[in-house]
Amino acid sequence: MAYSSKVLDHYNNPRNVGSFSTADPNVGTGLVGAPECGDVLKLQILVNPETGIIEDAKFKTFGCGSAIASSSLATEWLRGKTLDEALAIKNTEIVEELALPPVKVHCSVLAEDAIKAAIKNYQEKQASRQKNEPKEEAVGVGCSARECLDR
Amino acid sequence: MTVKLPIYMDNNATTRCDPRVVEAMLPYFTEKYGNAASRNHVFGWEAEAAVEEARGQVAAIIGASAKEIVFTSGATESNNLALKGVASMYRKKGNHIITAVTEHKAVIDPCKRLERDGFQVTFLPVDRYGQVHPEQVAEAMTPQTILVSIMAANNEIGTLNPIREIGRICKEKGVLFHTDAVQAVGKVPIDVNEMGIDLLSLTAHKLYGPKGIGALYVRKKDPRVRLDPIMDGGGHERGMRSGTLAVPLIVGFGKACEIARQEMPEEAIRLRQLRERLREGIMSQLEETYVNGHPTERLPGNINLSFAYVEGEALMMGIKDVAVSSGSACTSASLEPSYVLRALGVGDELAHSSIRFGLGRFNTPEEVDFVVDQVVKAVNHLRQMSPLYEMARAGVDLKSVQWAAH
């Protein structure tokens, strides 16, 4: 299977690799997938609480080249978006942008799940902060890849 | 010395045809193109003589006699013929077959078909190195057992099985013994008589011969093994495999066996040195790298490594100038990690992280050094990107993390 030039580009020059401190109340962390499924994505957003805009995004991914490319692309797309705009990102857009073959669609699904998980985590942290109950740890979300469900 | 890219290091999948083999084959396409079954003209005689010479060369590499070699299209056909042919012929004697979970699909799937047809098949588990123990075979035997099929060397992890001991047990119990020796022939010494082998599958393209030709060794005496053919036709190959013989391929197969037999002692030493150079080069520079399969009882040219926290297909992308294989689900059609690694008890996460390096006749020390360098760089790059590596570094026990059910 040949890789698309965009997958290769993100693989060779991944954007925004790294981590934010989960202790930062303005950081939301999404951790999806499972090691035994062969992919784990950690996606983090840094939100400006005043504007509600995602100012920065970072990722770390254990997975194939398409999973790395999907998460790298997601961080690019997240920067500058409001949370609502970010929630509207669909895995099919990632598939299209990276020209992923059908067998790699689950990588894009994981990226979408990671975005949603990161936003949820941020919102929960903000809510609990208002109640003065710090809640910092990211919640693991299961691998939604069909093949893992099928196993 | 610079190396020529890309580098082929997937010799357990297939091998380059040796130029000496190609040279031997060529006249049989263009000048000596007769049908070996044509008994009444010089073209036929010439082809038949070439086939018989090759038959002798193939027989010699496993210590058999030429008459015991049945040419097939490859090892998948040989395995099918051995399993189904014996099952059908000896059905009145019994209906039980013993094999192992780490066998190639070309053994597992015919066994599963036989199960559907009413046979009982025992799939023996293996130890953590991938070996079947002779006692397991002895314990699994019943009065109904007609055949044991255990591979000589595993295609993924390179582990060698104690074939001689298994053969001895089969002899004692009067049960036929088949071995899929595709990976072993030409790489480690195999002798059907010393090892008590009654049927043996081999193929040309794993030993620097052409694709599309293989053979099944069928013992002719003590005991005389009989087979029901799976193809009916002109009654070629003692009635066991009908179909016009592929003379050029057979000539190439013979030549490949002859070269392998002559060069194996030195080639095995050289390949073992290259393999250790590769293994030590990588493992001395990368922590948490594990060998899959047996540390010593393995094919000289094979090493299978798991790189913790790094996914196999991503690693293959990182060493794009090097052709290797991975047990990662992402690289297989089935989307499941390697069933062989799973059978050893290698965790799924490490199965996803595995790479098989298959060194062969044409690899050089310079290529090995290049590959070591590329692998180390790619693994370090990917680990910097891996959330699992980060968590492990931070002291998180990955096994304790609640990855949601999937």
Side-chain angles (χ1 to χ4, degrees):
Chain A
M1 170 174 36
Y3 301 98
S4 75
S5 56
K6 283 184 177 162
V7 168
L8 287 173
D9 180 38
H10 279 281
Y11 175 87
N12 290 319
N13 311 293
R15 327 310 191 237
N16 311 312
V17 174
S19 299
F20 297 125
S21 165
T22 51
D24 185 338
N26 298 327
V27 168
T29 304
L31 185 65
V32 302
E36 54 269 33
C37 289
D39 24 35
V40 174
L41 269 64
K42 189 186 79 166
L43 191 75
Q44 292 185 301
I45 50 172
L46 177 66
V47 185
N48 181 330
E50 307 297 319
T51 60
I53 285 175
I54 298 170
E55 294 195 326
D56 202 356
K58 288 197 186 294
F59 84 95
K60 284 210 170 186
T61 291
F62 162 79
C64 64
S66 302
I68 289 170
S70 296
S71 22
S72 169
L73 177 67
T75 60
E76 270 193 327
W77 281 358
L78 286 171
R79 288 175 152 197
K81 280 196 166 58
T82 65
L83 295 181
D84 284 343
E85 285 167 348
L87 281 170
I89 294 173
K90 291 274 169 292
N91 80 292
T92 48
E93 300 170 276
I94 296 172
V95 170
E96 203 174 320
E97 173 68 16
L98 296 175
L100 297 181
V103 71
K104 296 296 182 188
V105 167
H106 77 272
C107 299
S108 70
V109 174
L110 272 181
E112 185 188 318
D113 288 350
I115 293 171
K116 294 194 158 59
I119 292 171
K120 183 163 175 260
N121 176 247
Y122 168 76
Q123 288 170 335
E124 283 173 358
K125 277 165 78 173
Q126 291 292 314
S128 65
R129 194 168 169 233
Q130 278 159 13
K131 286 190 222 156
N132 210 9
E133 294 168 359
K135 185 175 179 181
E136 284 160 6
E137 283 312 306
V139 186
V141 176
C143 170
S144 59
R146 264 208 73 75
E147 47 273 24
C148 285
L149 290 169
D150 286 345
R151 273 176 41 197
Chain B
M1 182 178 159
T2 52
V3 295
K4 189 168 164 285
L5 301 178
I7 292 169
Y8 190 74
M9 219 171 260
D10 201 13
N11 285 283
N12 297 108
T14 193
T15 56
R16 171 185 168 192
C17 217
D18 192 300
R20 293 169 286 182
V21 169
V22 178
E23 197 184 339
M25 288 166 67
L26 287 176
Y28 292 89
F29 288 103
T30 52
E31 292 153 35
K32 306 176 180 181
Y33 47 81
N35 186 328
S38 295
R39 289 283 159 81
N40 300 301
H41 54 66
V42 65
F43 292 88
W45 301 330
E46 207 170 46
E48 194 192 9
V51 165
E52 292 318 311
E53 188 189 349
R55 202 185 292 283
Q57 291 166 321
V58 172
I61 203 169
I62 55 170
S65 76
K67 286 178 180 162
E68 297 173 305
I69 299 297
V70 174
F71 287 114
T72 65
S73 62
T76 293
E77 187 189 333
S78 299
N79 286 333
N80 271 270
L81 179 56
L83 294 158
K84 293 173 184 172
V86 164
S88 172
M89 182 59 80
Y90 294 86
R91 186 159 205 161
K92 288 210 178 81
K93 199 176 167 223
N95 70 341
H96 182 229
I97 293 167
I98 297 170
T99 185
V101 291
T102 49
E103 292 290 315
H104 192 274
K105 290 286 183 191
V107 167
I108 302 237
D109 286 357
C111 282
K112 287 188 174 164
R113 180 175 295 278
L114 290 169
E115 270 186 324
R116 292 197 292 275
D117 292 344
F119 286 86
Q120 304 281 320
V121 181
T122 300
F123 292 92
L124 295 173
V126 294
D127 68 14
R128 67 193 179 105
Y129 297 127
Q131 280 189 323
V132 173
H133 292 263
E135 329 54 283
Q136 288 177 276
V137 176
E139 282 164 22
M141 282 199 185
T142 75
Q144 289 293 310
T145 309
I146 51 172
L147 180 68
V148 169
S149 179
I150 301 290
M151 68 196 337
N154 185 274
N155 49 303
E156 286 191 37
I157 52 172
T159 295
L160 304 174
N161 272 316
I163 290 301
R164 188 185 304 264
E165 291 73 17
I166 294 170
R168 188 180 306 135
I169 285 165
C170 291
K171 277 280 159 302
E172 282 168 19
K173 308 273 181 176
V175 171
L176 294 180
F177 178 37
H178 167 251
T179 185
D180 173 353
V182 160
Q183 296 285 346
V185 171
K187 316 295 164 59
V188 292
I190 297 280
D191 186 297
V192 291
N193 294 316
E194 283 179 18
M195 297 177 165
I197 297 164
D198 298 312
L199 298 121
L200 179 149
S201 302
L202 72 163
T203 193
H205 78 100
K206 306 282 193 197
L207 53 139
Y208 314 96
K211 293 164 186 63
I213 188 73
L216 180 65
Y217 157 78
V218 184
R219 178 172 290 282
K220 232 175 144 53
K221 61 173 191 207
D222 305 323
R224 179 187 180 87
V225 178
R226 298 192 305 146
L227 292 178
D228 254 349
I230 52 182
M231 263 197 294
D232 297 310
H236 308 74
E237 301 295 275
R238 295 195 286 137
M240 293 193 215
R241 204 280 190 173
S242 288
T244 297
L245 292 174
V247 179
L249 300 181
I250 289 170
V251 168
F253 190 7
K255 184 69 182 173
C257 287
E258 186 190 72
I259 295 170
R261 192 167 60 87
Q262 289 166 351
E263 300 187 355
M264 183 166 58
E266 283 157 33
E267 190 163 280
I269 292 168
R270 194 182 75 86
L271 287 180
R272 198 170 287 118
Q273 284 168 348
L274 284 184
R275 179 191 82 197
E276 287 306 298
R277 187 184 182 108
L278 179 74
R279 188 188 63 74
E280 284 168 11
I282 290 173
M283 293 183 78
S284 65
Q285 295 181 70
L286 290 173
E287 51 175 15
E288 294 199 67
T289 299
Y290 308 98
V291 174
N292 297 311
H294 202 285
T296 53
E297 289 296 305
R298 66 186 307 133
L299 289 170
N302 170 288
I303 194 79
N304 188 314
L305 298 173
S306 280
F307 301 89
Y309 320 121
V310 169
E311 200 275 333
E313 189 196 346
L315 179 51
M316 284 169 69
M317 278 179 79
I319 52 171
K320 62 178 167 52
D321 295 318
V322 185
V324 293
S325 281
S326 170
S328 153
C330 292
T331 58
S332 73
S334 68
L335 291 167
E336 290 231 350
S338 154
Y339 67 94
V340 173
L341 294 179
R342 284 176 139 188
L344 311 194
V346 172
D348 276 5
E349 70 281 9
L350 280 178
H352 282 291
S353 302
S354 70
I355 298 283
R356 177 187 71 183
F357 300 89
L359 293 147
R361 182 174 293 166
F362 303 103
N363 288 123
T364 64
E366 290 76 21
E367 287 179 337
V368 168
D369 294 345
F370 179 88
V371 171
V372 167
D373 189 50
Q374 294 280 298
V375 168
V376 169
K377 276 184 192 150
V379 169
N380 283 329
H381 172 66
L382 290 166
R383 281 184 175 170
Q384 287 312 311
M385 225 190 279
S386 169
L388 304 180
Y389 186 66
E390 182 182 62
M391 290 163 88
R393 279 279 139 135
V396 176
D397 177 9
L398 295 175
K399 299 245 184 284
S400 74
V401 176
Q402 272 291 325
W403 312 102
H406 50 276

